[in-house]
Amino acid sequence: MSAYLIPANEYRRVRWKNGLGWTREILREPEQDDWHWRLSIAEIEQDADFSTFPGIERELVLLRGNGLRLCFDDSTVTLDPPHGRYRFAGEQRVRGELVDGLTHDFNLMWRRDTITAELLHRPLVGSMLFFVDAQTQWAIHLLAGQARFDSSEDLPPLFAGDTAVLPAQPQRGRYALQGGGELLAIRIQSRDAAQ
C-alpha cells in the first residue's frame, strides 16, 4: 500500500463507545471493529466517564483547551496546555473533568498483545526523515504549520490538522518531510519486530 493523506475535514465524527461524548476518528487499522490501532480526536464538552477498552493501551495528548483532568480510581492526572499527555491502560476506569471549557484531545490506542506504539511530539524545522519496513509504519499528524513530502512521493501538502500514513512496506523505505511547524509522529510496529 502506498502512503496517503487524510485531510482533517474527512475525519469521521462518531459517538464514544459508551455514548457519553463524540470523537473524530482519523483511522483504524484494520478497518473492522477488532482493530489493532486507532487514531482519533476526542471532543470533550462536559465531564464524563471514558469508555473502557480491554486489552488496549491508550495515550492522550491535549490539542486544544485549558486542560483536562483524568480521574482514576486511585489518582488524578492533569493534561495541561499546550500539549500535556498521558499513557494508561484501556481497562482502567477514568473520568474526564474539564479544567475550564471544552477540550480536543488526540487519542492513540493500540492492542498491546499485537503491536507496540510510540508517540513522539516534535518541532518540524526543515527536513525530517521517516523509515518504514515490513514491520514498521508511521502516522504523522501535523499540529501546526505546513509540510510536504519530497517530490518522489505523490502526496498533497499537509496543513494543520491533517494526518499522513506511511504504511509498512516489504522493502525498507524512506520518506522525507519538509516544512515548518509542529507534529505528532506515531511509530507502529508488530510486537515480534519490537522484541
Side-chain angles (χ1 to χ4, degrees):
M1 180 185 288
S2 300
Y4 60 97
L5 177 72
I6 309 171
N9 63 3
E10 292 183 11
Y11 301 162
R12 295 178 296 183
R13 194 166 187 256
V14 297
R15 295 293 289 180
W16 291 1
K17 189 173 74 166
N18 67 9
L20 298 179
W22 291 92
T23 195
R24 285 182 291 143
E25 187 175 76
I26 300 171
L27 70 92
R28 59 172 66 186
E29 186 67 40
E31 190 61 35
Q32 61 260 29
D33 285 340
D34 62 342
W35 39 263
H36 293 172
W37 61 285
R38 178 178 183 242
L39 302 179
S40 63
I41 297 172
E43 302 171 352
I44 303 180
E45 300 171 335
Q46 61 187 10
D47 297 352
D49 293 334
F50 284 15
S51 306
T52 57
F53 289 89
I56 300 295
E57 289 292 310
R58 302 182 67 170
E59 189 159 356
L60 289 183
V61 181
L62 183 70
L63 296 183
R64 175 182 166 199
N66 294 318
L68 175 69
R69 282 186 293 271
L70 303 177
C71 302
F72 299 91
D73 286 341
D74 57 357
S75 64
T76 298
V77 176
T78 302
L79 306 185
D80 292 315
H83 296 298
R85 60 195 280 187
Y86 191 68
R87 175 179 168 170
F88 59 98
E91 296 87 355
Q92 290 184 271
R93 291 189 308 174
V94 59
R95 178 174 177 80
E97 296 184 352
L98 298 169
V99 171
D100 180 20
L102 66 83
T103 67
H104 290 180
D105 304 272
F106 189 87
N107 188 14
L108 164 64
M109 295 193 282
W110 67 97
R111 198 168 300 280
R112 71 173 68 94
D113 63 352
T114 305
I115 64 170
T116 64
E118 182 181 17
L119 189 152
L120 307 169
H121 177 202
R122 298 287 186 265
L124 176 62
V125 181
S127 182
M128 187 177 287
L129 298 178
F130 299 94
F131 295 92
V132 299
D133 56 34
Q135 303 293 336
T136 305
Q137 59 186 314
W138 290 86
I140 313 301
H141 180 79
L142 196 64
L143 295 171
Q146 296 182 24
R148 177 184 284 278
F149 285 94
D150 63 21
S151 58
S152 64
E153 298 305 321
D154 189 22
L155 287 169
L158 279 83
F159 298 98
D162 295 346
T163 301
V165 182
L166 314 177
Q169 302 290 346
Q171 304 296 323
R172 183 173 165 87
R174 170 188 170 278
Y175 295 87
L177 184 65
Q178 312 272 348
E182 192 174 5
L183 57 79
L184 298 176
I186 300 97
R187 179 169 53 199
I188 304 291
Q189 290 185 297
S190 69
R191 180 157 286 286
D192 291 342
Q195 291 176 345

